[in-house]
Amino acid sequence: SIFSIPVIVLSNLGQKEDIDRALKLGASDYLIKSQFDIDQVIEKITNVLQSAPERPQQFTPENSPQE
């Protein structure tokens, strides 16, 4: 389901209302573009992936259904 895809919003909008709206609409996390560094982005992505439900195995030719 598309609703199980984690989303981290990266936006110039930094008002509390903007952040609250994004989180209320389902964002996993929120970063303000002018106030982050790459270490924060990596940390947020790591946290979101660790807390996300297990995803189905990625498609590869070896695990594709046989015709």
Side-chain angles (χ1 to χ4, degrees):
S1 160
I2 193 167
F3 295 107
S4 65
I5 299 171
V7 173
I8 299 173
V9 174
L10 186 58
S11 175
N12 280 329
L13 304 175
Q15 299 296 317
K16 182 177 179 347
E17 299 82 27
D18 300 317
I19 297 167
D20 289 346
R21 183 179 319 139
L23 296 173
K24 189 176 191 178
L25 289 172
S28 302
D29 214 328
Y30 194 99
L31 285 168
I32 301 167
K33 283 184 182 181
S34 61
Q35 300 175 358
F36 77 91
D37 61 41
I38 192 64
D39 292 331
Q40 278 183 301
V41 175
I42 292 169
E43 181 181 338
K44 298 278 187 182
I45 291 170
T46 301
N47 290 341
V48 166
L49 290 176
Q50 287 176 349
S51 65
E54 189 170 325
R55 292 173 306 283
Q57 185 177 4
Q58 184 175 8
F59 173 81
T60 64
E62 292 79 30
N63 69 10
S64 66
Q66 300 296 318
E67 292 184 29

